[in-house]
Coordinates of all heavy atoms in Angstrom, one line a residue:
M1 N 0.8 -1.2 0.0 CA 0.0 0.0 0.0 C 0.9 1.2 0.0 O 1.8 1.4 0.8 CB -0.9 0.0 1.2 CG -2.1 0.7 1.0 SD -3.3 0.8 2.5 CE -3.0 -0.7 3.4
K2 N 0.6 2.1 -0.9 CA 1.4 3.4 -1.0 C 0.9 4.4 -0.1 O -0.3 4.6 0.0 CB 1.5 3.9 -2.4 CG 2.4 3.1 -3.3 CD 2.4 3.8 -4.7 CE 3.8 3.8 -5.2 NZ 3.9 4.5 -6.5
A3 N 1.8 5.1 0.6 CA 1.3 6.3 1.4 C 1.1 7.5 0.5 O 1.8 7.7 -0.5 CB 2.4 6.6 2.4
T4 N 0.1 8.3 0.8 CA -0.2 9.5 0.1 C 0.8 10.5 0.4 O 1.3 10.6 1.5 CB -1.6 10.0 0.4 OG1 -1.7 10.3 1.7 CG2 -2.6 9.0 0.0
R5 N 1.1 11.3 -0.6 CA 2.1 12.4 -0.4 C 1.4 13.6 0.3 O 0.2 13.8 0.2 CB 2.6 13.0 -1.8 CG 3.7 12.1 -2.3 CD 4.2 12.8 -3.6 NE 4.8 14.1 -3.2 CZ 5.7 14.7 -3.9 NH1 6.1 14.2 -5.0 NH2 6.2 15.9 -3.5
E6 N 2.2 14.3 1.1 CA 1.7 15.4 1.8 C 1.5 16.6 0.8 O 2.1 16.6 -0.3 CB 2.6 15.9 2.9 CG 2.7 14.9 4.0 CD 3.4 15.5 5.2 OE1 3.8 16.7 5.2 OE2 3.6 14.8 6.2
T7 N 0.6 17.5 1.2 CA 0.3 18.6 0.2 C 1.4 19.5 -0.1 O 1.6 20.0 -1.2 CB -0.9 19.4 0.7 OG1 -0.5 19.9 2.0 CG2 -2.2 18.6 0.9
N8 N 2.3 19.7 0.9 CA 3.4 20.6 0.7 C 4.6 19.9 0.0 O 5.6 20.5 -0.4 CB 3.8 21.3 1.9 CG 4.2 20.4 3.1 OD1 4.4 19.2 2.9 ND2 4.3 21.0 4.3
G9 N 4.6 18.5 0.0 CA 5.6 17.8 -0.6 C 6.9 17.7 0.2 O 7.9 17.0 -0.2
N10 N 7.0 18.3 1.3 CA 8.2 18.3 2.1 C 7.8 18.1 3.6 O 7.2 19.0 4.1 CB 9.0 19.6 1.9 CG 10.4 19.5 2.5 OD1 10.7 18.6 3.3 ND2 11.2 20.5 2.3
K11 N 8.2 17.0 4.2 CA 7.8 16.7 5.5 C 8.5 17.6 6.5 O 8.0 17.7 7.7 CB 8.0 15.3 5.9 CG 7.1 14.4 5.1 CD 7.3 12.9 5.5 CE 6.3 12.1 4.7 NZ 6.3 10.7 5.1
S12 N 9.6 18.3 6.2 CA 10.3 19.1 7.2 C 9.6 20.5 7.3 O 9.9 21.2 8.2 CB 11.7 19.3 6.8 OG 11.8 20.0 5.6
L13 N 8.8 20.9 6.3 CA 8.1 22.2 6.4 C 6.9 22.1 7.3 O 6.1 21.1 7.2 CB 7.7 22.7 5.0 CG 8.8 23.1 4.1 CD1 8.2 23.4 2.7 CD2 9.5 24.3 4.7
P14 N 6.7 23.0 8.2 CA 5.4 23.0 9.0 C 4.2 23.3 8.1 O 4.3 24.1 7.2 CB 5.7 24.1 10.0 CG 6.6 25.0 9.4 CD 7.5 24.2 8.5
N15 N 3.1 22.6 8.4 CA 1.9 22.8 7.7 C 1.1 23.9 8.3 O 0.0 23.7 8.8 CB 1.1 21.5 7.6 CG 0.1 21.5 6.5 OD1 0.1 22.4 5.7 ND2 -0.7 20.5 6.5
L16 N 1.6 25.2 8.4 CA 1.0 26.3 9.0 C 0.6 27.3 7.9 O 1.2 27.4 6.8 CB 2.0 27.0 9.9 CG 2.4 26.3 11.2 CD1 3.4 27.1 11.9 CD2 1.2 26.2 12.1
P17 N -0.5 28.0 8.2 CA -0.8 29.1 7.2 C 0.3 30.1 7.2 O 1.1 30.3 8.2 CB -2.1 29.8 7.8 CG -2.6 28.8 8.8 CD -1.5 27.9 9.2
L18 N 0.5 30.8 6.1 CA 1.6 31.7 5.9 C 1.7 32.8 7.0 O 2.8 33.1 7.5 CB 1.6 32.3 4.5 CG 2.8 33.2 4.1 CD1 4.0 32.4 4.2 CD2 2.6 33.8 2.8
H19 N 0.5 33.4 7.3 CA 0.6 34.5 8.3 C 1.0 34.0 9.7 O 1.7 34.7 10.4 CB -0.7 35.3 8.4 CG -1.9 34.5 9.0 ND1 -2.5 33.5 8.3 CD2 -2.4 34.5 10.2 CE1 -3.5 33.0 9.0 NE2 -3.4 33.6 10.2
K20 N 0.6 32.8 10.1 CA 1.1 32.2 11.3 C 2.6 31.9 11.3 O 3.3 32.2 12.3 CB 0.3 30.9 11.7 CG -1.2 31.1 11.9 CD -1.4 31.7 13.2 CE -2.9 31.7 13.5 NZ -3.2 32.3 14.8
F21 N 3.0 31.4 10.2 CA 4.5 31.1 10.1 C 5.3 32.3 10.1 O 6.3 32.4 10.8 CB 4.7 30.3 8.7 CG 6.1 29.9 8.5 CD1 6.7 28.9 9.3 CD2 6.9 30.5 7.6 CE1 8.0 28.5 9.1 CE2 8.2 30.2 7.4 CZ 8.8 29.2 8.2
L22 N 4.8 33.4 9.4 CA 5.6 34.7 9.4 C 5.5 35.3 10.8 O 6.5 35.9 11.2 CB 5.0 35.6 8.4 CG 5.2 35.3 7.0 CD1 4.5 36.3 6.0 CD2 6.7 35.3 6.7
G23 N 4.4 35.1 11.5 CA 4.4 35.7 12.9 C 5.4 35.0 13.8 O 6.1 35.6 14.6
V24 N 5.5 33.7 13.7 CA 6.5 32.9 14.5 C 7.9 33.3 14.1 O 8.8 33.5 15.0 CB 6.2 31.4 14.4 CG1 7.3 30.6 15.0 CG2 4.9 31.0 15.0
A25 N 8.1 33.5 12.8 CA 9.5 33.8 12.3 C 9.8 35.2 12.8 O 11.0 35.4 13.2 CB 9.5 33.8 10.8
V26 N 8.9 36.2 12.8 CA 9.2 37.5 13.3 C 9.5 37.5 14.8 O 10.4 38.1 15.3 CB 8.0 38.5 13.0 CG1 8.2 39.8 13.8 CG2 8.0 38.7 11.5
R27 N 8.8 36.7 15.6 CA 9.0 36.6 17.0 C 10.4 36.0 17.3 O 11.1 36.5 18.1 CB 8.0 35.7 17.7 CG 6.7 36.5 17.8 CD 5.6 35.7 18.5 NE 4.4 36.4 18.7 CZ 3.3 36.1 18.0 NH1 3.3 35.1 17.3 NH2 2.2 36.8 18.2
F28 N 10.8 35.0 16.5 CA 12.1 34.4 16.7 C 13.2 35.4 16.3 O 14.3 35.5 17.0 CB 12.3 33.1 15.9 CG 11.7 31.9 16.6 CD1 10.8 31.1 16.0 CD2 12.2 31.5 17.9 CE1 10.2 30.0 16.6 CE2 11.6 30.4 18.5 CZ 10.7 29.7 17.9
F29 N 13.0 36.1 15.2 CA 14.0 37.1 14.8 C 14.1 38.2 15.9 O 15.2 38.6 16.2 CB 13.5 37.8 13.5 CG 14.4 38.9 13.1 CD1 15.7 38.7 12.5 CD2 13.9 40.2 13.2 CE1 16.5 39.8 12.2 CE2 14.7 41.3 12.8 CZ 16.0 41.0 12.3
L30 N 13.0 38.7 16.4 CA 13.1 39.7 17.5 C 13.8 39.2 18.7 O 14.6 39.9 19.3 CB 11.7 40.2 17.8 CG 11.0 41.1 16.8 CD1 9.6 41.4 17.2 CD2 11.8 42.4 16.6
A31 N 13.5 37.9 19.1 CA 14.2 37.4 20.2 C 15.7 37.3 20.0 O 16.5 37.6 20.9 CB 13.6 36.0 20.5
A32 N 16.1 36.8 18.8 CA 17.5 36.7 18.5 C 18.2 38.1 18.4 O 19.3 38.3 18.9 CB 17.7 36.0 17.1
F33 N 17.4 39.1 17.9 CA 18.0 40.5 17.8 C 18.2 41.1 19.2 O 19.2 41.7 19.5 CB 17.0 41.3 17.0 CG 17.4 42.8 16.9 CD1 18.5 43.2 16.2 CD2 16.7 43.7 17.6 CE1 18.9 44.5 16.1 CE2 17.1 45.1 17.6 CZ 18.1 45.5 16.8
C34 N 17.2 40.9 20.1 CA 17.3 41.4 21.4 C 18.4 40.7 22.2 O 19.1 41.4 22.9 CB 16.0 41.2 22.2 SG 14.7 42.3 21.6
T35 N 18.6 39.4 21.9 CA 19.7 38.7 22.6 C 21.0 39.2 22.2 O 21.9 39.5 23.0 CB 19.6 37.2 22.3 OG1 18.3 36.7 22.8 CG2 20.7 36.4 23.1
S36 N 21.2 39.5 20.9 CA 22.5 40.0 20.4 C 22.7 41.4 20.8 O 23.8 41.8 21.0 CB 22.6 39.8 18.9 OG 21.6 40.6 18.2
L37 N 21.6 42.2 20.8 CA 21.7 43.6 21.1 C 22.0 43.9 22.6 O 22.9 44.6 22.9 CB 20.4 44.3 20.8 CG 20.4 45.8 20.9 CD1 21.4 46.4 19.9 CD2 19.0 46.3 20.6
Y38 N 21.4 43.2 23.5 CA 21.5 43.4 24.9 C 22.4 42.4 25.6 O 22.7 42.5 26.8 CB 20.1 43.4 25.6 CG 19.3 44.6 25.2 CD1 18.2 44.4 24.3 CD2 19.6 45.9 25.6 CE1 17.5 45.5 23.9 CE2 18.9 47.0 25.1 CZ 17.8 46.8 24.3 OH 17.0 47.8 23.9
G39 N 22.9 41.4 24.9 CA 23.8 40.4 25.5 C 23.2 39.6 26.6 O 23.9 39.2 27.6
G40 N 21.9 39.3 26.5 CA 21.3 38.4 27.5 C 21.0 39.1 28.8 O 21.1 38.5 29.9
S41 N 20.6 40.4 28.8 CA 20.3 41.1 30.0 C 18.9 40.7 30.5 O 18.2 39.9 29.9 CB 20.4 42.6 29.7 OG 19.4 43.0 28.9
L42 N 18.5 41.4 31.6 CA 17.2 41.1 32.2 C 16.1 41.5 31.2 O 15.0 40.8 31.2 CB 17.1 41.9 33.5 CG 15.9 41.6 34.3 CD1 15.8 40.1 34.7 CD2 15.9 42.5 35.6
L43 N 16.3 42.5 30.4 CA 15.3 43.0 29.5 C 15.0 41.9 28.5 O 13.8 41.7 28.1 CB 15.7 44.2 28.8 CG 14.8 44.8 27.7 CD1 13.5 45.2 28.4 CD2 15.4 46.0 27.0
V44 N 16.0 41.2 28.0 CA 15.8 40.1 27.1 C 14.9 39.0 27.7 O 14.1 38.4 27.0 CB 17.1 39.5 26.6 CG1 16.9 38.3 25.7 CG2 17.9 40.6 25.8
W45 N 15.2 38.7 29.0 CA 14.4 37.7 29.6 C 12.9 38.1 29.7 O 12.0 37.3 29.5 CB 14.9 37.4 31.1 CG 16.1 36.5 31.1 CD1 17.4 36.9 31.3 CD2 16.1 35.1 30.8 NE1 18.2 35.8 31.2 CE2 17.5 34.7 30.9 CE3 15.1 34.2 30.5 CZ2 17.9 33.4 30.7 CZ3 15.5 32.9 30.4 CH2 16.9 32.5 30.5
F46 N 12.6 39.4 29.9 CA 11.3 39.9 29.9 C 10.6 39.8 28.6 O 9.5 39.3 28.4 CB 11.2 41.3 30.5 CG 11.4 41.4 31.9 CD1 12.3 42.3 32.5 CD2 10.7 40.6 32.8 CE1 12.5 42.4 33.8 CE2 10.9 40.6 34.2 CZ 11.8 41.6 34.7
V47 N 11.4 40.2 27.5 CA 10.9 40.1 26.2 C 10.6 38.6 25.8 O 9.6 38.3 25.2 CB 11.8 40.8 25.2 CG1 11.4 40.5 23.7 CG2 11.9 42.3 25.4
G48 N 11.6 37.8 26.1 CA 11.4 36.3 25.8 C 10.2 35.7 26.5 O 9.5 34.9 26.0
S49 N 10.1 36.1 27.8 CA 8.9 35.6 28.6 C 7.6 36.1 28.0 O 6.7 35.3 27.9 CB 9.0 36.1 30.0 OG 10.2 35.6 30.6
W50 N 7.6 37.3 27.5 CA 6.4 37.8 26.9 C 6.0 37.1 25.7 O 4.9 36.8 25.4 CB 6.5 39.3 26.7 CG 5.4 40.0 26.0 CD1 4.2 40.2 26.5 CD2 5.3 40.3 24.6 NE1 3.3 40.8 25.6 CE2 4.0 40.9 24.4 CE3 6.2 40.3 23.6 CZ2 3.6 41.3 23.2 CZ3 5.8 40.8 22.3 CH2 4.5 41.3 22.1
L51 N 7.1 36.8 24.8 CA 6.8 36.1 23.6 C 6.3 34.6 23.9 O 5.4 34.2 23.2 CB 8.1 36.0 22.8 CG 8.6 37.4 22.2 CD1 9.9 37.2 21.5 CD2 7.5 37.9 21.2
V52 N 7.0 34.0 24.8 CA 6.5 32.6 25.2 C 5.1 32.6 25.8 O 4.3 31.8 25.5 CB 7.5 32.0 26.2 CG1 7.0 30.7 26.8 CG2 8.9 31.7 25.5
W53 N 4.8 33.6 26.6 CA 3.5 33.8 27.2 C 2.4 33.9 26.0 O 1.4 33.3 26.1 CB 3.4 34.9 28.1 CG 2.0 35.2 28.6 CD1 1.2 36.2 28.2 CD2 1.3 34.4 29.5 NE1 0.0 36.1 28.8 CE2 0.0 35.0 29.6 CE3 1.5 33.3 30.3 CZ2 -1.0 34.5 30.5 CZ3 0.5 32.8 31.1 CH2 -0.7 33.4 31.2
N54 N 2.7 34.8 25.1 CA 1.8 34.9 23.9 C 1.6 33.6 23.2 O 0.4 33.3 22.8 CB 2.3 36.0 23.0 CG 2.0 37.4 23.5 OD1 1.1 37.6 24.3 ND2 2.7 38.4 22.9
F55 N 2.6 32.9 22.9 CA 2.5 31.7 22.2 C 1.7 30.6 23.0 O 0.8 30.0 22.5 CB 3.9 31.1 21.9 CG 3.9 29.8 21.2 CD1 3.5 29.7 19.9 CD2 4.2 28.6 21.9 CE1 3.5 28.4 19.3 CE2 4.1 27.4 21.3 CZ 3.8 27.3 20.0
L56 N 2.0 30.5 24.3 CA 1.3 29.5 25.1 C -0.1 29.9 25.3 O -1.0 29.1 25.4 CB 2.0 29.4 26.5 CG 3.4 28.7 26.4 CD1 4.0 28.6 27.8 CD2 3.3 27.3 25.8
A57 N -0.4 31.2 25.4 CA -1.8 31.7 25.6 C -2.6 31.4 24.3 O -3.7 30.9 24.4 CB -1.8 33.2 25.8
G58 N -1.9 31.5 23.2 CA -2.6 31.1 21.9 C -2.9 29.6 21.8 O -4.0 29.2 21.4
V59 N -2.0 28.8 22.3 CA -2.2 27.4 22.3 C -3.3 27.0 23.2 O -4.2 26.2 22.9 CB -0.9 26.6 22.7 CG1 -1.1 25.2 22.9 CG2 0.2 26.8 21.6
V60 N -3.3 27.6 24.4 CA -4.3 27.3 25.4 C -5.7 27.7 24.9 O -6.7 27.0 25.1 CB -4.0 27.9 26.8 CG1 -5.2 27.8 27.7 CG2 -2.8 27.2 27.4
R61 N -5.7 28.9 24.3 CA -7.0 29.5 23.8 C -7.5 28.5 22.7 O -8.7 28.3 22.6 CB -6.8 30.9 23.2 CG -8.0 31.6 23.0 CD -7.7 33.0 22.5 NE -6.7 33.7 23.2 CZ -5.6 34.3 22.7 NH1 -5.5 34.3 21.4 NH2 -4.7 34.9 23.5
F62 N -6.6 28.0 21.8 CA -7.1 27.1 20.8 C -7.6 25.8 21.4 O -8.7 25.3 21.0 CB -5.9 26.8 19.8 CG -6.1 25.7 18.9 CD1 -6.9 25.9 17.7 CD2 -5.6 24.4 19.0 CE1 -7.2 24.9 16.8 CE2 -5.9 23.4 18.1 CZ -6.7 23.7 17.0
L63 N -6.9 25.2 22.3 CA -7.4 24.0 23.0 C -8.7 24.2 23.7 O -9.6 23.3 23.7 CB -6.3 23.4 23.9 CG -5.0 23.0 23.2 CD1 -4.0 22.5 24.3 CD2 -5.3 21.8 22.3
W64 N -8.8 25.3 24.4 CA -10.1 25.6 25.1 C -11.2 25.7 24.1 O -12.3 25.2 24.3 CB -9.9 26.9 25.9 CG -11.2 27.3 26.6 CD1 -12.0 28.3 26.3 CD2 -11.7 26.6 27.7 NE1 -13.1 28.3 27.2 CE2 -12.9 27.3 28.1 CE3 -11.4 25.5 28.5 CZ2 -13.7 26.9 29.1 CZ3 -12.2 25.1 29.6 CH2 -13.3 25.8 29.9
G65 N -11.0 26.4 22.9 CA -12.0 26.5 21.9 C -12.4 25.1 21.3 O -13.6 24.9 21.1
C66 N -11.4 24.2 21.2 CA -11.7 22.9 20.7 C -12.6 22.1 21.7 O -13.5 21.5 21.4 CB -10.4 22.1 20.5 SG -9.5 22.7 19.0
L67 N -12.2 22.3 23.0 CA -13.0 21.6 24.0 C -14.4 22.1 24.1 O -15.4 21.3 24.2 CB -12.3 21.8 25.4 CG -12.9 21.1 26.6 CD1 -12.9 19.6 26.5 CD2 -12.3 21.6 27.9
V68 N -14.6 23.4 24.1 CA -15.9 24.0 24.1 C -16.8 23.6 22.9 O -17.9 23.2 23.0 CB -15.9 25.5 24.2 CG1 -17.2 26.2 23.9 CG2 -15.3 26.0 25.5
F69 N -16.1 23.5 21.7 CA -16.9 23.1 20.5 C -17.3 21.6 20.7 O -18.4 21.3 20.4 CB -16.0 23.3 19.3 CG -16.6 22.6 18.1 CD1 -17.6 23.2 17.4 CD2 -16.1 21.4 17.6 CE1 -18.2 22.6 16.3 CE2 -16.7 20.8 16.5 CZ -17.7 21.4 15.8
L70 N -16.4 20.8 21.1 CA -16.7 19.4 21.3 C -17.8 19.1 22.3 O -18.7 18.4 22.1 CB -15.5 18.6 21.6 CG -14.5 18.4 20.5 CD1 -13.2 17.7 21.0 CD2 -15.1 17.6 19.4
L71 N -17.7 19.9 23.4 CA -18.8 19.7 24.4 C -20.1 20.2 23.9 O -21.2 19.6 24.2 CB -18.4 20.5 25.7 CG -17.3 19.8 26.5 CD1 -16.9 20.7 27.7 CD2 -17.7 18.5 27.0
A72 N -20.1 21.3 23.2 CA -21.4 21.8 22.6 C -22.0 20.9 21.6 O -23.2 20.6 21.6 CB -21.2 23.2 22.0
F73 N -21.1 20.3 20.8 CA -21.6 19.4 19.8 C -22.1 18.1 20.4 O -23.2 17.6 20.0 CB -20.4 19.0 18.8 CG -20.8 18.1 17.7 CD1 -21.5 18.5 16.6 CD2 -20.4 16.7 17.8 CE1 -21.9 17.6 15.6 CE2 -20.8 15.9 16.8 CZ -21.5 16.3 15.7
V74 N -21.4 17.6 21.4 CA -21.9 16.3 22.1 C -23.2 16.6 22.8 O -24.1 15.8 22.8 CB -20.8 15.8 23.0 CG1 -21.4 14.8 24.0 CG2 -19.7 15.3 22.2
S75 N -23.3 17.8 23.4 CA -24.6 18.2 24.1 C -25.7 18.3 23.1 O -26.8 17.8 23.4 CB -24.4 19.5 24.8 OG -23.4 19.4 25.8
L76 N -25.5 18.9 21.9 CA -26.5 19.0 20.9 C -27.0 17.6 20.4 O -28.2 17.4 20.3 CB -26.0 19.9 19.8 CG -27.0 20.2 18.7 CD1 -28.2 21.0 19.2 CD2 -26.3 20.9 17.5
V77 N -26.0 16.8 20.1 CA -26.3 15.4 19.6 C -27.1 14.7 20.7 O -28.1 14.0 20.4 CB -25.1 14.7 19.2 CG1 -25.3 13.2 18.9 CG2 -24.5 15.4 17.9
A78 N -26.7 14.8 22.0 CA -27.3 14.1 23.1 C -28.8 14.6 23.2 O -29.7 13.8 23.4 CB -26.6 14.2 24.3
F79 N -29.0 15.9 23.1 CA -30.3 16.4 23.2 C -31.2 16.0 22.1 O -32.4 15.6 22.3 CB -30.2 18.0 23.2 CG -31.6 18.6 23.3 CD1 -32.3 18.6 24.4 CD2 -32.1 19.2 22.1 CE1 -33.6 19.2 24.5 CE2 -33.3 19.8 22.2 CZ -34.1 19.8 23.3
M80 N -30.6 15.9 20.8 CA -31.4 15.5 19.7 C -31.8 14.0 19.8 O -32.9 13.6 19.5 CB -30.7 15.7 18.4 CG -30.6 17.2 18.0 SD -29.5 17.6 16.6 CE -30.1 16.5 15.4
V81 N -30.9 13.2 20.3 CA -31.2 11.8 20.5 C -32.2 11.6 21.6 O -33.2 10.8 21.5 CB -29.9 11.0 20.9 CG1 -30.2 9.6 21.4 CG2 -29.0 10.9 19.7
W82 N -32.1 12.4 22.7 CA -33.1 12.3 23.7 C -34.5 12.7 23.2 O -35.5 12.1 23.6 CB -32.7 13.2 24.9 CG -33.7 13.3 26.0 CD1 -34.0 12.3 26.9 CD2 -34.5 14.4 26.3 NE1 -34.9 12.7 27.8 CE2 -35.3 14.0 27.5 CE3 -34.7 15.7 25.8 CZ2 -36.2 14.9 28.0 CZ3 -35.6 16.5 26.4 CH2 -36.4 16.1 27.5
V83 N -34.6 13.8 22.4 CA -35.9 14.2 21.9 C -36.4 13.2 21.0 O -37.7 12.9 21.0 CB -35.7 15.6 21.2 CG1 -37.0 16.0 20.4 CG2 -35.5 16.7 22.2
L84 N -35.6 12.6 20.1 CA -36.1 11.6 19.2 C -36.5 10.3 19.8 O -37.3 9.5 19.2 CB -35.0 11.3 18.1 CG -34.8 12.5 17.2 CD1 -33.6 12.2 16.2 CD2 -36.0 12.8 16.3
T85 N -36.1 10.0 21.0 CA -36.5 8.8 21.7 C -37.6 9.0 22.6 O -38.0 8.0 23.4 CB -35.3 8.2 22.5 OG1 -34.8 9.2 23.4 CG2 -34.2 7.8 21.5
L86 N -38.2 10.2 22.7 CA -39.4 10.3 23.6 C -40.6 9.6 23.0 O -40.9 9.5 21.9 CB -39.7 11.8 23.7 CG -38.7 12.6 24.6 CD1 -39.1 14.1 24.6 CD2 -38.7 12.1 26.0

């Protein structure tokens, strides 16, 4: 059985939308620039912490949205099954 090819044709590339990929690339560039500019000072730790916090907040927000959607969908299906079995 042959495996299907991925849409981008290269498994090393992330399958992200372009604006998300560019946002992550800009954040990494800014972190590298601040590190080279300030030499690892306290300000760089604050900037890096802020960037990591934004990324983790986005991940948590996405997972929370998935959970809410799944719970709403399961509740709707359960309600419809309950109404149909009356």
Side-chain angles (χ1 to χ4, degrees):
M1 206 180 331
K2 283 184 141 182
T4 58
R5 279 185 64 156
E6 291 191 3
T7 56
N8 57 13
N10 189 352
K11 292 184 179 186
S12 65
L13 290 176
N15 198 6
L16 291 173
L18 184 60
H19 69 281
K20 295 282 186 182
F21 182 72
L22 288 176
V24 171
V26 167
R27 287 185 177 108
F28 278 123
F29 173 76
L30 287 175
F33 175 72
C34 289
T35 302
S36 66
L37 185 64
Y38 293 107
S41 68
L42 187 61
L43 179 63
V44 174
W45 281 105
F46 286 131
V47 170
S49 299
W50 177 73
L51 291 174
V52 169
W53 172 257
N54 279 343
F55 177 75
L56 291 179
V59 169
V60 169
R61 196 178 314 130
F62 171 76
L63 293 176
W64 180 253
C66 289
L67 180 67
V68 168
F69 171 77
L70 288 175
L71 288 176
F73 180 75
V74 167
S75 299
L76 181 66
V77 170
F79 178 74
M80 289 172 53
V81 168
W82 177 71
V83 167
L84 290 174
T85 57
L86 287 178

